[in-house]
């Protein structure tokens, strides 16, 4: 456990992606930063994910803009912190005419920058392994990035400490904030400002304030499959993703697609299953996922859900999935009426929670917003 003294410009509570992003934004402004986290290393949603920095399909407007900005920062810090970009881009495969209509509507929006629709023949010339017989079209985006979160998050923290002098206090819980005093299980810190980035822990600091936003948890199941023996052209998604991601789902043609999906894949819809397939450096595939909402989801993974995920893999690609070599579940904070919660419970304090599962994709922009808001409170930079 690290103990530290002195006064900081900013204390960040939580060392997940939002906490790290906030620390980076503050350090870039020349602030002295301390990050306090209850665990020895990142162990939550920030590492139990695809490492997929998704722009295409993010909610139109602010979230899409946040994702564009966050992608820029990812590219900057990936080079500085020796984080490999494992692959780039997205292929959204469509098997239904209703899905094609959604893709065509999407291409008419400003969000289609960097995207194109491929015919099945064009897609298969570039990726012959895509042999799904019902393939109707592929939306190709050149924007997305993929990192290995289990490696990237610790490397960001190490780089923040080394390159920016950010102090990390691990295995410590923050009990109380009364600026400038921040009371922790590792002692008392002094800070001019505090950013509380609790992930899906809504029962700790400012619990009543967070509860007012009706924040709950979303549980997901994910799989790692063996290498298929070839390289994917990009991250792969499918028709179910068009109904899940707000950037597509809010478009008028998606209403007909949702109706058809409910008729043809009711079990997938009920379990919140949609397909994302990304590839790791060793060729293995990270595949998911599902969505189950509860204040305290159970910790168990279910074969029925895994089977639904793999069924969609089989339908979208036209191949049998490689053997499953790893399984895990994760949780993230979720709210029905917002993608991000940024709140000011008192002067000099901000709460920042991504409530849509898009922390990796939007976090660096959110960190910049949080720091700008705190500095706007009137404290001297």
């Amino acid at each position: 456990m690290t103990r530290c003294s002195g006064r900081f410009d900013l204390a960040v509570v939580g060392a997940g992606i939002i906490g790290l992003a906030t620390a980076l934004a503050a350090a870039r402004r020349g602030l002295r930063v301390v990050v306090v986290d209850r665990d020895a290393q990142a162990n939550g949603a920030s590492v139990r994910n695809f490492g997929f920095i998704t722009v295409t399909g993010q909610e139109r407007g602010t979230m899409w803009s946040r994702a564009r900005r966050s992608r820029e920062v990812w590219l900057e810090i990936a080079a500085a912190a020796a984080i490999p970009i494992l692959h780039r881009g997205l292929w959204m495969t469509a098997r239904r005419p209703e899905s094609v209509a959604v893709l065509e509507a999407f291409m008419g929006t400003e969000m289609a920058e960097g995207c194109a629709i491929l015919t099945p023949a064009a897609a298969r010339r570039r990726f012959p392994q895509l042999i799904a017989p019902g393939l109707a079209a592929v939306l190709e985006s050149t924007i997305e990035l993929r990192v290995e979160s289990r490696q990237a998050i610790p490397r960001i923290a190490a780089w923040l400490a080394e390159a920016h002098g950010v102090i990390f206090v691990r295995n410590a819980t923050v009990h109380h904030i009364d600026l400038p005093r921040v009371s922790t299980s590792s002692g008392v810190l002094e800070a001019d400002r505090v950013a509380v980035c609790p992930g899906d822990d809504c029962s700790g600091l400012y619990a009543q304030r967070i509860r007012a936003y009706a924040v709950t948890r979303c549980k997901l199941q994910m799989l790692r499959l063996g290498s298929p023996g070839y390289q994917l052209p990009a991250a792969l998604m499918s028709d179910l993703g068009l109904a899940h991601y707000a950037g597509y789902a809010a478009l008028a043609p998606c209403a007909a697609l949702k109706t058809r999906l409910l008729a043809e894949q009711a079990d997938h819809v009920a379990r919140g299953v949609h397909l994302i397939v990304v590839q790791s450096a060793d060729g293995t595939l990270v595949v998911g996922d599902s969505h189950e909402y509860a204040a305290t989801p159970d910790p168990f993974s279910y074969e029925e859900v895994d089977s639904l995920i793999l069924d969609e893999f089989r339908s979208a690609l036209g191949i049998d999935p490689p053997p499953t070599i790893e399984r895990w579940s994760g949780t993230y904070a979720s709210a029905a009426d917002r993608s991000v919660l940024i709140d000011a419970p008192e002067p000099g304090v901000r709460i920042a929670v991504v409530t849509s599962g898009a922390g990796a994709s939007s976090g660096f922009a959110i960190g910049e917003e949080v720091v700008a808001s705190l500095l706007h409170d009137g404290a001297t930079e």
Side-chain angles (χ1 to χ4, degrees):
M1 181 185 295
T2 300
R3 293 182 181 273
C4 59
S5 59
R7 187 156 180 154
F8 296 88
D9 299 306
L10 175 68
V12 179
V13 183
I17 186 61
I18 304 303
L20 297 179
T22 303
L24 173 62
R28 283 181 161 180
R29 286 178 175 256
L31 304 186
R32 186 167 186 247
V33 182
V34 60
V35 178
V36 184
D37 194 85
R38 63 187 178 184
D39 290 320
Q41 70 276 328
N43 197 47
S46 294
V47 295
R48 303 186 198 184
N49 57 40
F50 296 94
F52 185 35
I53 294 91
T54 316
V55 177
T56 310
Q58 294 292 349
E59 184 179 7
R60 195 172 191 173
T62 300
M63 279 300 286
W64 183 75
S65 297
R66 283 169 171 157
R68 295 280 297 193
R69 171 57 186 157
S70 295
R71 177 189 180 273
E72 293 175 2
V73 180
W74 269 110
L75 286 172
E76 294 167 6
I77 66 169
I83 298 170
I85 303 296
L86 299 180
H87 57 76
R88 299 172 184 246
L90 163 69
W91 278 28
M92 173 70 77
T93 65
R95 307 193 301 274
R96 299 169 173 89
E98 293 87 349
S99 300
V100 176
V102 175
L103 298 185
E104 290 172 344
F106 179 83
M107 289 300 298
T109 73
E110 75 284 356
M111 299 180 292
E113 182 181 347
C115 299
I117 294 180
L118 305 178
T119 65
R124 286 173 177 142
R125 280 195 296 270
R126 291 172 52 187
F127 183 44
Q129 292 82 8
L130 186 62
I131 59 175
L135 185 66
V138 174
L139 176 71
E140 180 186 31
S141 166
T142 59
I143 304 299
E144 279 64 34
L145 307 173
R146 149 76 170 146
V147 300
E148 195 74 65
S149 294
R150 302 180 194 192
Q151 299 171 0
I153 297 301
R155 288 186 183 182
I156 293 171
W159 172 73
L160 284 172
E162 179 180 353
H164 290 282
V166 174
I167 303 296
F168 284 84
V169 182
R170 301 282 188 178
N171 293 320
T173 302
V174 176
H175 298 307
H176 184 66
I177 297 169
D178 184 15
L179 292 180
R181 291 172 59 86
V182 180
S183 300
T184 84
S185 58
S186 185
V188 177
L189 306 172
E190 289 195 351
D192 295 328
R193 312 162 187 84
V194 176
V196 178
C197 308
D200 70 339
D201 180 8
C202 300
S203 60
L205 294 169
Y206 302 106
Q208 290 185 332
R209 191 83 177 201
I210 296 172
R211 194 174 299 124
Y213 291 91
V215 177
T216 188
R217 285 188 173 102
C218 178
K219 169 190 166 185
L220 51 87
Q221 288 184 206
M222 297 181 64
L223 307 162
R224 184 178 295 275
L225 309 184
S227 172
Y230 47 77
Q231 188 70 30
L232 300 183
L236 297 178
M237 298 177 69
S238 70
D239 303 56
L240 288 166
L242 293 172
H244 176 80
Y245 280 89
Y248 312 113
L251 299 172
C254 201
L257 175 61
K258 291 176 181 178
T259 298
R260 182 163 180 180
L261 291 174
L262 189 59
E264 296 179 351
Q265 293 186 278
D267 290 341
H268 295 76
V269 173
R271 290 289 197 168
V273 169
H274 72 97
L275 182 71
I276 302 177
V277 183
V278 296
Q279 195 160 32
S280 295
D282 61 0
T284 60
L285 306 177
V286 178
V287 179
D289 59 359
S290 59
H291 298 78
E292 175 189 335
Y293 300 89
T296 306
D298 70 53
F300 308 110
S301 293
Y302 296 95
E303 183 63 30
E304 172 194 354
V305 175
D306 288 350
S307 295
L308 290 171
I309 294 169
L310 295 176
D311 173 72
E312 183 66 6
F313 179 102
R314 189 177 293 106
S315 297
L317 277 72
I319 63 171
D320 287 330
T324 299
I325 58 178
E326 190 176 37
R327 293 180 171 87
W328 67 94
S329 63
T331 62
Y332 62 76
S334 177
D337 66 341
R338 67 191 62 237
S339 298
V340 177
L341 162 61
I342 300 176
D343 186 65
E346 55 186 292
V349 179
R350 294 294 182 273
I351 303 166
V353 183
V354 175
T355 54
S356 56
S361 300
S362 61
F364 287 112
I366 292 166
E368 292 175 345
E369 293 173 29
V370 169
V371 171
S373 174
L374 283 167
L375 293 177
H376 187 67
D377 264 4
T380 302
E381 185 172 346

